[in-house]
Amino acid sequence: MAAMADGKSSEQEIVRDRMTGGEEIDFELIELLFFAYRDFISDPDAILFKKGFGRAHHRVVHFVNRNPGMTVADLLETLRITKQSLARVLKQLIDSGYICQLEGPEDRRQRRLYPTKAGRALALELAKPQSRRIAKAMSGREKDMRETVLGFLGGMRDGGDK
Amino acid sequence: MAAMADGKSSEQEIVRDRMTGGEEIDFELIELLFFAYRDFISDPDAILFKKGFGRAHHRVVHFVNRNPGMTVADLLETLRITKQSLARVLKQLIDSGYICQLEGPEDRRQRRLYPTKAGRALALELAKPQSRRIAKAMSGREKDMRETVLGFLGGMRDGGDK
DNA sequence: AAGATAGGTCAGCAAGACTGACGCATTGAC
DNA sequence: GTCAATGCGTCAGTCTTGCTGACCTATCTT
């Protein structure tokens, strides 16, 4: 469990004023990112739930469709999870016929991942409501908005400064 | 478990071409949102881990600091989780002295939530690296970028069209 | 032949979401 | 004044999706 927040009773004093960032911190943007992402994944979540899948399956289906022929190692790198975590959902997707594995053409240890037609269809179905949401958020301002948002989100990534 | 993806063997055909959105679907933005959000929450995650807390604690601390005096019901609405899920993390935060509850002044059934000084400090500490990341992503382009991004993220929210 | 690599798998743990049920204090309507 | 509704807490159990550590096979590299 967590440590007690310091013995000094002053630390326990109640704070009644709203936390605003001032010049310092952009709480508005921080919050908005939380709300936007929460709602953004809610659409596919609902679709997946009906099929007995979860978010983890979504990610796998998405990236395999975006990069057909990627190896398991590639996928692990992209998702940044352990192979044991991946194994569970990947196995379910293979058993259900959404993804299949082919032996690597040069290196036969590799399992190249490809979507089936059903897998491609699923990926598209999941992307559609998300795309609609994005279109709504841009609503007519695509021209000035998309490039800016792309730049911003790219810069938010870990290696995104170059 | 999940249903088999249709008996038709054509559904099992391997698809080898990369899924691109064409005019239809903005996969680039969809992916970028995933990567950006993943890295965005990784900074506070690391800090929280050392204190024995998780993401759920972050959200609670954040919103209580942003809206001191909010009720438990308000918080449930904001986070969109069940009270049983909230109860666990809230209790830990109260026990650790980061948040405290005061009886509602009008309605004594309510528990108004306030941060302690330690709670305020924690919220700020968690926000700092996120704010730094945002600043980096904007790097000198704050002027044209912030309003656009704010508009975009606002539009991504469920009620965000008005 | 030996070691490194790609991948699969078993077993167990934890966080954080969920459901359903129930208890207690307080409020508000009748 | 009684009683239902409300705000909140809590017990018990489930599920997904992360994690660790250990160990196995097949294949490639040296």
Side-chain angles (χ1 to χ4, degrees), chain A residues 66-83:
Chain A
R66 287 284 282 169
N67 308 291
M70 76 192 305
T71 65
V72 171
D74 292 338
L75 194 48
L76 288 176
E77 253 252 45
T78 302
L79 300 177
R80 300 229 186 116
I81 58 175
T82 58
K83 68 175 170 176

Side-chain angles (χ1 to χ4, degrees), chain A residues 11-60:
Chain A
E11 293 297 307
Q12 304 304 319
E13 261 177 55
I14 294 175
V15 176
R16 287 194 152 79
D17 58 309
R18 174 176 172 86
M19 175 174 70
T20 59
E23 304 296 301
E24 281 256 12
I25 295 181
D26 200 335
F27 285 115
E28 200 181 350
L29 204 39
I30 290 175
E31 257 170 46
L32 222 40
L33 219 31
F34 164 71
F35 290 125
Y37 194 76
R38 181 195 60 185
D39 295 343
F40 179 62
I41 57 173
S42 72
D43 302 318
D45 269 5
I47 298 171
L48 290 157
F49 181 76
K50 293 180 205 154
K51 296 190 157 39
F53 292 142
R55 267 171 224 181
H57 302 85
H58 185 186
R59 288 173 201 144
V60 172

Side-chain angles (χ1 to χ4, degrees), chain B residues 71-73 83-84 87 91 101 109-111:
Chain B
T71 65
V72 171
K83 67 176 170 176
Q84 295 90 330
K91 190 172 190 323
Q101 298 179 309
R109 289 170 304 181
Q110 293 178 341
R111 297 296 127 91

Side-chain angles (χ1 to χ4, degrees), chain A residues 128-143:
Chain A
K128 252 176 219 161
Q130 296 195 305
S131 202
R132 244 182 276 125
R133 187 181 286 272
I134 290 172
K136 194 198 74 181
M138 308 249 229
S139 65
R141 302 182 46 197
E142 282 85 359
K143 279 274 143 48

